[in-house]
Amino acid sequence: MENVDGLDDEILEEDSEIIVPQVGMKFKDANEIFEFYKKYAYNVGFPVRKRTSRKGEDGVVKYVTFSCCREGQRSRSKSTNSMPQPTIQIGCKARLTASVDGIGTWRINTIHLEHNHNTSPSKSRLFRCNRQLSAHVKRQLEVNDMAGIPLHKSYNSAVVEAGGYENMTCIERDCRNYVEKVRRLRLGEGDAAAIQSYFSKMQAICPGFFFSIDLDEESRLRNVFWADNRCREAYKEFGDIVTFDTTYLTNKYDMPFAPFVGVNHHGQSTLLGCGLISSEDTETFVWLFRTWLQCMQGQAPNGIITDQDRAMQNAIQIVLPNTKHRWCLWHILKKLPEKFGNHVQKGAIFSAIHELVYDSQTPEEFEKGWIRMIEEHELHDNDWLDRLYMDRSRWVPCFLKTSFWAGMSTTQRSESTTTK
């Protein structure tokens, strides 16, 4: 490989054209390491994922870990979730760690190649990290869908054209997901032009009106953001803390409606801009946050409140690295009936969690009470509670006194504890 140098000119071993990762290999960036490890994994026959990353004081990623997707362990023998999710995690230790040095060169620090499960190169194309739709397949799916051809027939046609299932780089579910996304992007005749015309008219009437339209590769409308002058002026006064939510869907196209909301000096919600988005992935949220920030003259809020969506969290880290991010308490507590609806002690669990959240005055008091609740109701193997506890500083009020509420007004604190 052109961009891989052996430590001290060490010759890399090759086995059947598979370059085996070794400690000391050098790369120009973290993405190049991941692509190298993913290619090795494809040849060996196991799926990989980006496990962890750590940033330095300058906010730049300095350390990464890539692992087998079967890493980790989830015991479901005592799970009390009403709808436990299937898992492929069986405690595999195969992983790679790397870090960057002072001159910007990335180097592999540790590597563990042994797996506790069988690997299968013949199944590599089916792993999620390797599946992709070619431009040709995408085009055929769109044309066939517009012609009313059922998805399964379009997929079978692609299989025949590829020469068999073994030559496909995607599965039928990938095709179905893509078609559903394209349908959301496919506005009715004249709709995209009408939006452009309406926003241009509003901008002529009100010079402070801001809008931005994001198009895809086929020049189709994908995402929209707009904010009038009242939103922009309100942000100057009440933009310290912002809530962001995408739980609303428009009626016709099922495009998530994404409003930015603040709270004014009367404790009332005030709109700070809004958008319509085609999907809820990191790339889309990055575009939306950057556009909103541009609208607000680059002034980032001190804090932002969202649900537990991972894509939102990733986008906030990219676009708003210095903004304090917390999770919406309402979104978390409303999941209790779903998670414990079938538990024999559900009433006691609900009361215990509410009491811990609202009555704990210090982190120490919360942690002691949490451990006591877990032991009393035998919830040691509840994955949902485990994940919540790991991120308790993002949503438990007593943890937020210094990490989130510091410097806020009484009104802002009240809004952040009661907001959805």
Side-chain angles (χ1 to χ4, degrees), residues 50-69:
K50 298 179 180 180
R51 183 65 179 86
T52 58
S53 63
R54 289 205 298 265
K55 296 180 180 180
E57 295 181 355
D58 56 358
V60 178
V61 175
K62 302 291 187 181
Y63 177 90
V64 294
T65 299
F66 306 130
S67 69
C68 173
C69 284

Side-chain angles (χ1 to χ4, degrees), residues 93-150:
K93 300 297 183 182
R95 62 174 52 198
L96 175 155
T97 67
S99 61
V100 64
D101 59 23
I103 60 174
T105 300
W106 282 82
R107 183 191 303 267
I108 295 178
N109 297 330
T110 63
I111 181 72
H112 188 90
L113 301 178
E114 299 298 323
H115 298 263
N116 65 351
H117 56 90
N118 295 329
T119 57
S120 177
S122 63
K123 296 181 180 180
S124 290
R125 64 181 183 83
L126 301 177
F127 297 142
R128 181 179 298 179
C129 60
N130 297 322
R131 300 200 308 259
Q132 59 181 353
L133 274 69
S134 66
H136 174 70
V137 170
K138 289 180 179 179
R139 181 58 181 166
Q140 287 299 114
L141 290 173
E142 292 183 42
V143 171
N144 291 349
D145 184 58
M146 294 178 66
I149 299 175

Side-chain angles (χ1 to χ4, degrees), residues 34 59 72 90 171 188 200 215 218-219 309 349 364 374:
F34 182 66
I90 58 174
I171 59 177
S200 297
L215 304 177
E218 303 292 332
S219 296
D309 186 88
I349 295 174
E364 293 76 16
I374 295 296

Side-chain angles (χ1 to χ4, degrees), residues 69 308 357 379:
C69 284
Q308 296 165 267
V357 169
L379 299 173

Side-chain angles (χ1 to χ4, degrees), residues 128-228:
R128 181 179 298 179
C129 60
N130 297 322
R131 300 200 308 259
Q132 59 181 353
L133 274 69
S134 66
H136 174 70
V137 170
K138 289 180 179 179
R139 181 58 181 166
Q140 287 299 114
L141 290 173
E142 292 183 42
V143 171
N144 291 349
D145 184 58
M146 294 178 66
I149 299 175
L151 188 281
H152 70 276
K153 291 187 177 180
S154 296
Y155 181 72
N156 290 339
S157 175
V159 171
V160 172
E161 188 173 347
Y165 289 98
E166 65 278 4
N167 297 322
M168 291 292 293
T169 59
C170 62
I171 59 177
E172 185 171 345
R173 183 173 60 188
D174 299 327
C175 297
R176 188 174 303 279
N177 291 339
Y178 177 75
V179 169
E180 290 177 353
K181 179 179 179 180
V182 168
R183 286 173 180 172
R184 291 197 295 269
L185 294 174
R186 192 183 298 143
L187 300 182
E189 183 177 356
D191 284 1
I195 291 176
Q196 174 79 34
S197 175
Y198 176 77
F199 282 164
S200 297
K201 180 180 178 180
M202 289 297 298
Q203 199 169 55
I205 297 174
C206 176
F209 186 86
F210 178 96
F211 75 92
S212 180
I213 295 178
D214 178 38
L215 304 177
D216 68 1
E217 296 81 2
E218 303 292 332
S219 296
R220 295 171 303 193
L221 188 147
R222 179 164 54 188
N223 305 303
V224 181
F225 171 82
W226 70 95
D228 61 17

